[in-house]
Amino acid sequence: MTQKFSFVFVFLSFFAFSQVEEKKLDELIQNTLKTFDVPGMSVGVIKDGKIIYAKGFGVRSLTTKQPMDENTLVGIASNSKGFTCTALAILADEGKLKWDDPVSKYIPEFQMYDPYVSKNVTVRDLVTHRAGLGLGQGDLMFFPEGGTLSVNDIVQNVRYLKPENPFRTTLDYNNVMFIVAGEVIHRISGLSWADFIEQRIMRPVGMTSSFGSYNRAKAVSNKIDAHAPVEGKAVAVTHDWNETANAAGGIMSNIKDMTTWAEFLLNNFTTKDGKKLVSDKNVQQLWSLQIPGGVAMKNPYDTSFYGYGMGWFLSDVKGHKQIQHTGGLIGTVTQFTLIPDMKLGIVVLTNQQSGAAFNTITNTVKDSYLGIADRNWLKTYGDRMIKMNESFDKQKKDAFAKSDAFKKEKNMQPKPEQFVGTYSDRWFGDVGISRQGNVYRIECKTSPRLKGELLPFSNNSFIVKWDDRSYDADAYLIFDYDETGKAQSAKMKPISDVTDFSFDFDDLDLKRK
């Protein structure tokens, strides 16, 4: 399928697309939806201060079949982090905080695993992914939706997260630190994070349709349903976001408002009525490299640097500085891209979790402005997706095949008295292992939607098959027995590389109670 489509359109410095160029982009988006099984997508392009493209395609829900348009609300997920850092910059300009103030100045009870880090971790460290926590470490405290832990619980539990890296040495993307940053905003301003974002940023900028959290948008009918692949086909799934994590990814917005946000940022953080919300000094802080990341020697944009500022990833593309972020929830992914010296912004919002889809659109539009000949990103990402899915499917099939084979080894089956019971992790809480008839079950007490069946895999391990099949996050549960053959602890790890990093099973250290 993907080999049939090749789109070239060069609009470089035009204020608006020609009809031919607009039609080609329309066609590319439609074919992207088909290739990656995405029900709906909205796309916006801003150039030289003008919104030149803002459209929705497909349906906002496979259940209702209602169309997706430029006003359809989508959870922008981690693209909310730019708002969190803008809020902190506003408070810094008002003299209410300094980037290098210790977090304990605003949250006295805040501690990290290491006493030295607890004393020295700063507001800047919270929003630059350099505090030492690993990729997604601690996300299970709020992910998936439906957890029982509060913001205060998360702030308290950070002290139990043993860091994976030395302090300030490594870029490892982490959401929990942004939740703490949101609490800093709350403690200083007296407003909830969502109130501050709506009142101090969204309304002045002109984002009239957006909300600081999913719950605030419940009365709006024109919003997406989330969709995730189940058995190889996209289906509608329960919206996923926990209100405790709004500062890391809670905003609901649409392509109309997100292009307005892009216009504001490209206009040096100045609103349409001329009000500058962030000083030049702090704009420079936000968009300066705070922690570097790795760069492949050969890459499609001749990128020589890559890393994180505050709330945005920073890199160079063909000699131009790029400000970019993506966002992902179960059932939706988004991408936001700025090239400031070209006065170019590209926004892609979707209601399925295919990063290949938003990359296809963003890269094609970006290439056209950079003067790069058509590279057929649709085919590139389409072929890559096929290979990756084949690899993921093999990992899962092999695991379940080994489980099926082990079930025949009756004399090797672990006995319930060896492992049934309650296990606890200091930051995550209790996990119950029970026997219900001939079936073993697992249930996570602080995350009730994380429950499923245990399938024997070896004499000391099981496959956790989650009830919610949209998670695509089945995992090994491996028990550590004492000399009497009784389990004293357990570890977990995903059975497939397809599992989202926010299913932070690897960092659990479960001890039998």
Side-chain angles (χ1 to χ4, degrees):
M1 172 187 281
T2 58
Q3 295 182 15
K4 296 179 182 178
F5 308 116
S6 177
F7 301 100
V8 183
F9 44 96
V10 178
F11 31 84
L12 295 176
S13 60
F14 295 120
F15 287 115
F17 292 154
S18 71
Q19 288 186 343
V20 172
E21 291 156 351
E22 185 173 338
K23 183 180 179 182
K24 286 180 178 179
L25 183 53
D26 291 349
E27 291 174 354
L28 174 62
I29 294 169
Q30 294 283 15
N31 287 314
T32 298
L33 297 182
K34 295 174 185 176
T35 299
F36 302 110
D37 195 21
V38 177
M41 174 188 291
S42 52
V43 176
V45 180
I46 180 169
K47 183 73 172 76
D48 296 326
K50 303 289 185 180
I51 297 173
I52 61 174
Y53 191 90
K55 289 186 177 183
F57 293 83
V59 296
R60 59 185 188 246
S61 170
L62 287 174
T63 302
T64 66
K65 306 296 184 183
Q66 292 175 311
M68 187 155 175
D69 58 35
E70 70 276 14
N71 295 306
T72 303
L73 290 178
V74 178
I76 68 170
S78 285
N79 275 303
S80 304
K81 289 180 169 69
F83 290 82
T84 296
C85 292
T86 300
L88 291 169
I90 290 171
L91 293 173
D93 279 335
E94 293 174 349
K96 295 177 180 177
L97 70 78
K98 295 179 181 177
W99 292 111
D100 296 314
D101 282 341
V103 177
S104 59
K105 179 177 179 179
Y106 306 104
I107 310 177
E109 71 273 24
F110 179 74
Q111 295 180 36
M112 295 192 70
Y113 190 85
D114 185 294
Y116 172 83
V117 179
S118 296
K119 182 179 178 181
N120 289 279
V121 66
T122 65
V123 175
R124 186 190 304 271
D125 294 320
L126 293 178
V127 294
T128 53
H129 305 299
R130 67 182 198 185
L133 297 182
L135 175 65
Q137 191 173 4
D139 279 3
L140 285 174
M141 287 190 282
F142 67 86
F143 178 92
E145 185 185 35
T148 62
L149 297 177
S150 67
V151 170
N152 287 335
D153 290 330
I154 293 172
V155 169
Q156 173 73 20
N157 290 351
V158 168
R159 69 192 64 192
Y160 303 125
L161 292 170
K162 186 176 181 179
E164 294 187 5
N165 306 294
F167 186 42
R168 294 179 184 158
T169 62
T170 307
L171 168 55
D172 257 330
Y173 192 82
N174 188 270
N175 290 300
V176 168
M177 293 289 94
F178 267 83
I179 296 174
V180 178
E183 182 63 9
V184 169
I185 294 168
H186 169 60
R187 299 279 178 105
I188 293 173
S189 70
L191 298 173
S192 70
W193 179 88
D195 279 338
F196 191 100
I197 297 303
E198 290 181 3
Q199 295 174 24
R200 300 294 305 277
I201 300 176
M202 288 179 173
R203 299 307 170 251
V205 166
M207 301 177 69
T208 57
S209 303
S210 299
F211 297 87
S213 76
Y214 178 78
N215 284 347
R216 295 176 179 225
K218 280 189 173 180
V220 179
S221 60
N222 188 4
K223 61 179 181 286
I224 65 161
D225 279 344
H227 302 83
V230 177
E231 303 297 333
K233 186 67 177 174
V235 299
V237 297
T238 304
H239 170 82
D240 176 74
W241 195 252
N242 194 314
E243 290 289 303
T244 59
N246 283 333
I251 288 174
M252 293 288 288
S253 190
N254 55 30
I255 209 68
K256 173 177 165 288
D257 276 7
M258 288 302 288
T259 48
T260 299
W261 171 238
E263 180 182 3
F264 160 77
L265 297 174
L266 290 168
N267 194 29
N268 201 26
F269 289 69
T270 303
T271 66
K272 292 179 181 178
D273 61 3
K275 183 179 180 182
K276 190 165 172 56
L277 296 190
V278 178
S279 68
D280 288 343
K281 175 184 175 182
N282 274 313
V283 170
Q284 184 178 33
Q285 291 288 311
L286 295 175
W287 285 1
S288 290
L289 195 66
Q290 304 288 333
I291 183 74
V295 179
M297 292 295 291
K298 292 184 178 180
N299 59 76
Y301 288 100
D302 300 327
T303 297
S304 60
F305 81 87
Y306 170 82
Y308 208 78
M310 290 193 277
W312 284 276
F313 286 97
L314 310 176
S315 63
D316 62 305
V317 292
K318 295 295 184 180
H320 302 271
K321 184 176 181 179
Q322 175 177 267
I323 316 294
Q324 189 177 64
H325 217 289
T326 59
L329 307 172
I330 295 174
T332 179
V333 290
T334 65
Q335 189 170 54
F336 183 85
T337 305
L338 303 176
I339 303 181
D341 69 344
M342 297 180 69
K343 297 183 180 179
L344 172 66
I346 307 164
V347 187
V348 184
L349 310 178
T350 79
N351 61 2
Q352 212 261 60
Q353 54 196 48
S354 171
F358 65 52
N359 279 326
T360 295
I361 303 304
T362 296
N363 286 3
T364 303
V365 174
K366 184 163 61 180
D367 282 2
S368 69
Y369 281 104
L370 292 170
I372 299 172
D374 175 44
R375 296 195 271 193
N376 202 342
W377 286 107
L378 183 63
K379 180 182 185 317
T380 296
Y381 284 113
D383 291 347
R384 187 178 301 174
M385 181 192 70
I386 291 170
K387 290 181 180 179
M388 290 178 64
N389 284 343
E390 288 174 350
S391 174
F392 298 150
D393 288 344
K394 184 177 187 306
Q395 289 174 325
K396 290 181 281 189
K397 287 177 181 178
D398 287 350
F400 282 104
K402 289 180 181 179
S403 174
D404 289 340
F406 182 74
K407 289 176 186 177
K408 299 175 183 178
E409 303 291 335
K410 300 296 184 182
N411 62 326
M412 297 289 289
Q413 300 290 319
K415 298 177 176 59
E417 58 267 24
Q418 291 180 278
F419 61 90
V420 167
T422 299
Y423 298 75
S424 186
D425 175 88
R426 295 190 77 185
W427 58 265
F428 183 56
D430 289 351
V431 174
I433 307 295
S434 63
R435 184 179 185 182
Q436 300 178 13
N438 293 324
V439 176
Y440 296 113
R441 297 280 300 170
I442 183 172
E443 182 175 351
C444 301
K445 304 301 182 183
T446 61
S447 187
R449 282 174 57 182
L450 272 180
K451 57 184 179 179
E453 183 179 356
L454 296 182
L455 308 177
F457 187 77
S458 73
N459 61 357
N460 73 328
S461 64
F462 292 80
I463 289 177
V464 179
K465 183 178 181 182
W466 302 111
D467 292 345
D468 191 327
R469 303 310 296 155
S470 71
Y471 290 166
D472 215 353
D474 295 335
Y476 297 111
L477 176 63
I478 306 159
F479 292 101
D480 184 23
Y481 295 147
D482 65 12
E483 69 279 2
T484 69
K486 189 172 183 179
Q488 297 300 307
S489 62
K491 298 289 287 183
M492 294 180 69
K493 64 178 184 179
I495 69 171
S496 168
D497 294 331
V498 73
T499 301
D500 188 277
F501 65 76
S502 285
F503 286 107
D504 181 31
F505 303 132
D506 287 328
D507 288 304
L508 293 174
D509 186 15
L510 296 163
K511 304 293 185 184
R512 189 168 192 161
K513 296 181 71 170

